[in-house]
Amino acid sequence: MPLEQLPLVALQARKAFQTGRSKPIDFRVQQLKNLQRFITEKQKDITDALKKDLHKSENGTLLYELLGLEGEINMAIANLSVWMAPRPVAKNLLTISDEVYIQPEPLGVVLIIGAWNYPITVTLQPLVGAIAAGNAVVVKPSEVSCHTAKVLELLPLYLDPVKLELASLLSEMYPELLKQRFDHIFYTGNSMVGKLVMEAAARHLTPVTLELGGKNPCYIDKDCDLEIACRRITWGKYINCGQTCISPDYILCEPSIQDKVVEEIRKSIKEFYTDDPKTFIDYGRIINQRHFKRIIALFEGSTVAIGGENDESQCYIAPTVLRDVTPESKVMQEEIFGPVLPIVPIKGVNEAIQFINEREKPLALYVFSSSNKVIKQMISETSSGALLANDCLIHYTISDLPFGGVGNSGMGCYHGKSTFDQLSHLRSCLIKRLGMEQLNGMRYPPHTAEKLRLARLLLLKQVSLGRVRHLVQATTLIMLAAFVVQRFLR
């Protein structure tokens, strides 16, 4: 896309939104069905592209890229009428006869900037919520996963052009795109670019959702089942060759179990990826040589316990474990985003918590323990986007769990209804009749002690319509039961 055309992208999307065509529920549902049709009809193109970009297998792509996306679309279609409906709220006595509710409404034009590690799901899942919320959308796929970006360029053939403008551009064009005014920017990527996005958005007071990452800790308690724990950690770490924003970044465990942890991870690597991961269909590759060199450089000064083999010509790095890693090690200074798992020895859960809290808040925190006390302590004394006990990554599959970071790992959240709410304006509405003016007298001057007493009564007493409704229903049932009993006794 020529640089001079970038201002037209946002302008055309805004003009399309102002026609109002994107707001009716029938239009939104049809667009979601069209998106589902895109996934179905272009499935072969998608799997081929991801094979070229990240060496993902066909079944791996279907499992980790498309299955959850289809679930999000189905959920949005099934629940959209409920999500769009007015949401009544509790009233006070002053507004008891008024209509008071929250009305979700579209924000306007949403910019979605995708990422390269899961280039379909992290680009199209926010799009599902943006469409469901009634917005016009500008989609910017990652140019790093270039083959998948080419497939995404076919989206306008399926989605109404008033709904979506696709901005295919190189990274050096980012600043010009971000100069345009949007009503929300949804960015998935690293914190460095996230800061640039937020800075650009601030010029227009545009709200942002930043899905970032960080170094996700994984604490292993010495009393847990190490075989199962290490099996689940191995899966969570090396899926997509470690290029997952919520993968365990490093392990914290006591020195007494470090050898056992290494051995169990070694067994799981062999089970999942055979003795030769390089030739195994389900083991991926690093996205490009720049990231390959960055990851290899992180080995410096650390002891390789497992793996370490690599091939720059194929961007291949074997599943790797580093042992006896110190906090000062090079590998502990940045998010790894690759198949390298450092083990940092600590003395116990209290030191693990201190270690975690001395660093930026992570996107995910993992704790493996048979002790509910240890798990609850980790929950209460740390902060992270999400916390999982005795598993990895699996929270991403639950649409009712908001997915997002905190602090340096991001802001805002999505998945399911959370995406709809995130990309809607939740408008407060109150509709009052022009009668019953005497009740309003207490708010008009002069302000007397008697008016203040009345105001205290009317404003501080909350009324829950749900409770009133249940009370009326219960009273009705009691009266009906009494009537039946009386008739029976006769």
Side-chain angles (χ1 to χ4, degrees), residues 115-131:
W116 54 259
N117 59 327
Y118 291 88
I120 295 294
T121 189
V122 301
T123 305
L124 298 189
Q125 276 205 10
L127 179 59
V128 172
I131 291 173

Side-chain angles (χ1 to χ4, degrees), residues 357-375:
N357 288 339
E358 287 173 350
R359 287 155 179 79
E360 296 285 3
K361 294 178 180 180
L363 185 57
L365 192 162
Y366 302 108
V367 51
F368 286 82
S369 176
S370 300
S371 168
N372 196 50
K373 180 180 179 182
V374 168
I375 294 170

Side-chain angles (χ1 to χ4, degrees), residues 152-221:
L152 288 173
E153 288 180 5
L154 301 174
L155 269 173
L157 300 177
Y158 290 81
L159 298 179
D160 192 301
V162 311
K163 195 68 185 173
L164 181 138
E165 293 285 345
L166 200 78
S168 301
L169 62 158
L170 301 175
S171 57
E172 55 265 27
M173 299 181 182
Y174 263 121
E176 189 62 34
L177 178 65
L178 292 174
K179 284 180 184 178
Q180 312 311 311
R181 178 174 167 257
F182 297 96
D183 297 298
H184 195 102
I185 300 177
F186 194 113
Y187 169 76
T188 303
N190 62 62
S191 58
M192 181 180 69
V193 177
K195 292 174 183 177
L196 298 177
V197 170
M198 192 170 183
E199 182 180 351
R203 298 191 188 104
H204 298 290
L205 296 179
T206 298
V208 296
T209 301
L210 302 179
E211 296 295 338
L212 309 177
K215 295 186 75 65
N216 303 312
C218 180
Y219 172 68
I220 305 178
D221 191 20

Side-chain angles (χ1 to χ4, degrees), residues 137-152:
V137 190
V138 175
V139 177
K140 165 63 183 77
S142 172
E143 75 286 350
V144 178
S145 48
C146 57
H147 297 94
T148 310
K150 284 289 184 183
V151 178
L152 288 173

